[in-house]
Amino acid sequence: MFENAINWKKQGDIGMCYAMAYYSKLGWTISIPITDSQDYDIIVDNGINLLKVQIKTTTQVTKYGIPSVNLRTNGGNKSGTSTKNFDENTCDLVFVMTSNSEFYSIPRYEIEATTSINLGEKYLPYKVDLL
């Protein structure tokens, strides 16, 4: 899925477009911040609440073939050039796109880790379809 992404920023752009397509498919309104200094990538309005969404993409898999997602942020926002661990208070949802075209919309309260997660059985209820 990311074979034409020339760098990780382009890979992130692909993930953002798929996230916007997914939440738009639900009928939600999408807002994009004008800067890159916040800890979330988009805001979605589901008609009841405004939800901050952090978008992640991954090409990594465990030795068992389970996609693994880095939750840390590397530069490009408030963390400057340093690495910042995932903080459950910075977003409401985490949208994940894997290199084999799997998508997840995970509520932040389901994520206990601060550096990475494996998208195994725990996260299967949050696997979503874009068709």
Side-chain angles (χ1 to χ4, degrees):
M1 200 64 194
F2 302 122
E3 59 274 354
N4 293 321
I6 59 174
N7 58 42
W8 60 270
K9 281 189 113 10
K10 292 293 183 186
Q11 181 175 311
D13 291 347
I14 294 167
M16 179 172 293
C17 290
Y18 274 92
M20 290 189 297
Y22 172 70
Y23 295 115
S24 292
K25 175 185 161 188
L26 296 179
W28 297 5
T29 301
I30 311 300
S31 297
I32 302 170
I34 60 172
T35 65
D36 196 18
S37 60
Q38 61 286 330
D39 292 318
Y40 51 89
D41 298 300
I42 61 175
I43 298 168
V44 295
D45 179 350
N46 65 7
I48 300 169
N49 295 308
L50 296 177
L51 304 168
K52 299 178 288 184
V53 181
Q54 196 171 95
I55 301 166
K56 300 291 184 181
T57 60
T58 186
T59 59
Q60 303 298 312
V61 293
T62 68
K63 65 181 180 179
Y64 304 107
I66 299 169
S68 179
V69 181
N70 181 7
L71 296 174
R72 291 179 278 189
T73 302
N74 297 307
N77 64 16
K78 287 192 246 180
S79 64
T81 58
S82 64
T83 300
K84 181 180 179 185
N85 287 344
F86 180 75
D87 178 350
E88 66 179 25
N89 296 315
T90 60
C91 68
D92 302 301
L93 295 168
V94 176
F95 182 89
V96 179
M97 177 182 181
T98 70
S99 58
N100 60 347
S101 301
E102 292 179 337
F103 306 94
Y104 297 78
S105 181
I106 307 169
R108 72 160 186 242
Y109 60 80
E110 289 292 339
I111 300 174
E112 297 170 2
T114 60
T115 60
S116 67
I117 57 172
N118 294 334
L119 296 171
E121 284 188 38
K122 175 179 180 178
Y123 298 107
L124 283 181
Y126 305 106
K127 193 171 184 180
V128 298
D129 188 12
L130 269 100
L131 297 177

